[in-house]
Amino acid sequence: MRDGLRRIPPGLGAMLAVSAVLAVTWACVTPAFQAPDEQRHYTYTQTIAERFALPGDPDRPGFSTQVLDGMAAMNADQVAGQRAVKPEWGPAAERAWAATQSAAPRDDGGGPSPASTYPPVSYAWEAIGYRMAASGTVFDQLLGARLMSAFWLPFTVLGTWLLAGELFGRRRLLQTVAASVPALAPMVAFISGSVSPDGMLYAVWSFALWLGVRAVKRGVPVKDGLAFFALVALACMVKATSFALLPAALLVVAIGLHSRRSHAAARVIRLAAIVVVPLVLILAWLFAPAQISDTKASAAGTNWREMLSYAWQYYLPRVPGQQDYPIRPISGGYPLLQVWITQGWGAFGWLEVKWAAWVYRVLGVITVGIGALAMAALWRARRAIDWRVAGFLALACLSLLAGLHWTDYHQLEAGSRGFMQARYLFPVIAVFGAALAAAVSVVPTRIRAAVAGGTVAGLFVFHLFAIGLVVARFYA
Amino acid sequence: MRKRAIIGSVAVLAVGLVAVLAVGLTRGSSLVYALGAAPAGPVVPVPPGGVTCQTPISVPDGAEFDRVAFTVRTAGQPGPALAVEIRRADGGPLLTSGALPAGYGDGAKVVEVGRVATPAPIAVCLRNGGAVPIAIYGQPTIASPRTNATVDGKLIGFDMAITLNREQRSFIALLPTMADRASVFRAGWVGPFTYLVLALLVVIGVPLLLVRGLAAAATADDDEPSAEQREDEPPVAAQERPQEARPAGAAKER
């Protein structure tokens, strides 16, 4: 075991340990049910743990009595989204709740909720933490489930490190910089430290992206290809967002077939079947009528011109003659800043815990700077780039983005408050890590190590401020 | 590279940690207890000559406060004299009081009431001493599940957004208090000591790990001849031949 630990590169080891500490910290600091939709994700976990069943039964209430009592005791609903309201911190209130909590049923919830249409894998995993704390209160079980989610953050870091290794070669400093993004980005740790499928999702995507790149670079060897497709299938069973991996997966199939074009046709078909059949079975299960949310929209009712106008106005100023498309949650703000920058860098709790607006403008400039340097790195390397790898990563990122905009547009059209949140981009956090490493790689060699050190340290200082912001919001 | 990585990271960490400390010392909070209602709208009336109370309020651990904050609406008229009284919730004696002199306008007010520190439940009452009706901002009564607002003794179905305050303390000074507050409605093993351990890990352990990891990564690049040679190579993976062209086990090393 000690020899195994010694073989871990120290830069990676540091990032794994740091991410574990930060994820546990967030799990312990965030008040119960003060992460997006946490009460619904927790109820899903509880339904599996208590009844070995999936939620969504229309004859049952949405939440168990235990959850409702716990939320009422700490005033969780009232705290959510209202910065002026603090969670109950009176020990007398806790004692009053504790006197009766053990009598509250835990297995009388599990009715329909927005989360009940999600695939069950991550919730089943978190149910293990719930069961380990089964003798305790709702808050013990919540923390148990949170820690199972937090468990995945070091794996996200590892996946990012490995992806950077494939992209940059054995360059430990750049790999460390890349891994620092999932390890130190506060929103990633905050979400990973809450009950949600997203912590596991980030890890599975990070590994899938690494294995996809690895497979593509090597002409899709059978083992790499199988491992990649197994991860794609797993990702689809964690969250439906992962369907966005399918176009990239098809590209991997195409590259694999192309690299075997001289092989016997029967062997190629056999290999393809090994990959495609399990994938189709999983997709068929996921697309079964019971799994389809009523929020999903079909292409038939889509006003494509209006949707393109929406997408344009999401990122760019309106051009003369273009009809205004009001993106309601933004209320006139610039979506690129209000959603991607603000929520990506830090909007905690139910997204209400934020810094002053000027902070996000500075962060926006930093983000643009990093993006520009990363593009410069790509340009510098344009003659040496493996375009199959670039295509694979671009397809994964763009499919995710397109899927998010598709859903957001249709939800806006349906009159809802909109869907988009920056954390939905975190499945490709490994690519963001690689982009930061690419940005550092264009810095002149003599100062590169100092810049890399300063960048990682700066991310950590920012994380420290984020923890302080959340602590002050809820407890000061 | 190693030395530069250490210098770069330590310099930023030093500046950053000083900045965190500076913010923690110069900014803070005066809040002792909030009831759960936000100042969403002027929903709780204080009629001329009337008394509006929020009760019963159990201040955690009987913590000391000496001022009461709330938001008032006067509908554009000069606000009437308003007495703020702190009473025992069980109808006992007046504990202390303060006053908001007449002539104020709409907005947030803080009224000093003198030192109060009692574990017994209290009532915070506002007595309108003028002829102009005013309203206090609050929310429907579900907002503060353990307390209720009354007007002249009658429940009204809304809660006042009242906070009990004291002189401002810095966030650094408040750390032990915040750890106590964060320990309520938590898993059994999470308490102030847990937060102390986590704080030490985050503030001391994580920076040490980062500096060590970065230094080791830079050293590994220094020691790696191929990495040295690659310094001027493009940063994004070059086109590679299928695996037979690669040294055996190279992929595993990544």
Side-chain angles (χ1 to χ4, degrees), chain A residues 308-322:
Chain A
L308 285 175
S309 178
Y310 145 86
W312 176 280
Q313 291 178 56
Y314 211 94
Y315 296 98
L316 299 166
R318 212 155 29 101
V319 293
Q322 190 175 25

Side-chain angles (χ1 to χ4, degrees), chain A residues 216 247-248 251 255 385-398:
Chain A
V216 164
L251 179 67
I255 291 170
I385 287 175
D386 183 339
W387 288 103
R388 298 170 306 173
V389 169
F392 168 78
L393 290 176
L395 206 50
C397 294
L398 292 175

Side-chain angles (χ1 to χ4, degrees), chain A residues 28-30 73 75 78 82 88 94 140 143 162 167-168 170 172-173 214 217-218 384 441 445-446 475, chain B residues 4 33 36 139 143 146 181 185-186 188-189 195 202 216 221 224 231 235 237-240 251 253-254:
Chain A
C28 292
V29 164
T30 307
N75 215 10
Q78 184 66 10
Q82 296 198 93
E88 175 62 56
E94 188 184 35
D140 290 282
L143 184 58
L162 292 167
L167 296 176
F168 301 104
R170 191 188 162 108
R172 298 305 192 208
L173 200 56
R214 184 184 154 94
K217 283 175 68 177
R218 290 161 178 76
S441 76
T445 310
R446 66 192 162 75
Y475 309 118
Chain B
R4 287 175 187 156
Y33 191 53
Q139 285 185 302
R146 292 179 187 81
R181 292 170 178 173
F185 293 111
R186 285 282 176 198
W189 59 270
Y195 289 115
V202 171
D221 283 359
E224 180 72 45
E231 280 295 289
Q239 175 97 28
E240 289 187 37
E253 288 172 10
R254 296 200 176 149

Side-chain angles (χ1 to χ4, degrees), chain B residues 9 12 17 29 35 39 83 107 109 127 149 153 184 208 211 227 246-247:
Chain B
S9 54
V12 173
L17 290 174
S29 169
L35 306 185
K109 310 294 173 200
R127 186 181 296 275
V184 178
L208 289 176
V211 173
R246 296 173 51 77

Side-chain angles (χ1 to χ4, degrees), chain A residues 159-183:
Chain A
T160 305
W161 167 278
L162 292 167
L163 176 67
E166 287 296 333
L167 296 176
F168 301 104
R170 191 188 162 108
R171 296 168 77 175
R172 298 305 192 208
L173 200 56
L174 292 185
Q175 286 180 271
T176 304
V177 170
S180 74
V181 171

Side-chain angles (χ1 to χ4, degrees), chain A residues 253-324:
Chain A
V253 171
I255 291 170
L257 291 175
H258 185 258
S259 69
R260 288 170 177 77
R261 60 192 179 281
S262 60
H263 295 201
R267 194 172 162 219
V268 170
I269 290 168
R270 204 163 53 237
L271 279 173
I274 288 172
V275 168
V276 172
V277 169
L279 209 56
V280 167
L281 288 175
I282 288 164
L283 293 178
W285 176 73
L286 286 170
F287 270 121
Q291 298 293 328
I292 297 176
S293 153
D294 57 3
T295 59
K296 288 199 172 64
S298 70
T302 301
N303 181 339
W304 290 95
R305 189 174 166 169
E306 188 184 54
M307 194 171 87
L308 285 175
S309 178
Y310 145 86
W312 176 280
Q313 291 178 56
Y314 211 94
Y315 296 98
L316 299 166
R318 212 155 29 101
V319 293
Q322 190 175 25
Q323 200 171 359
D324 181 31

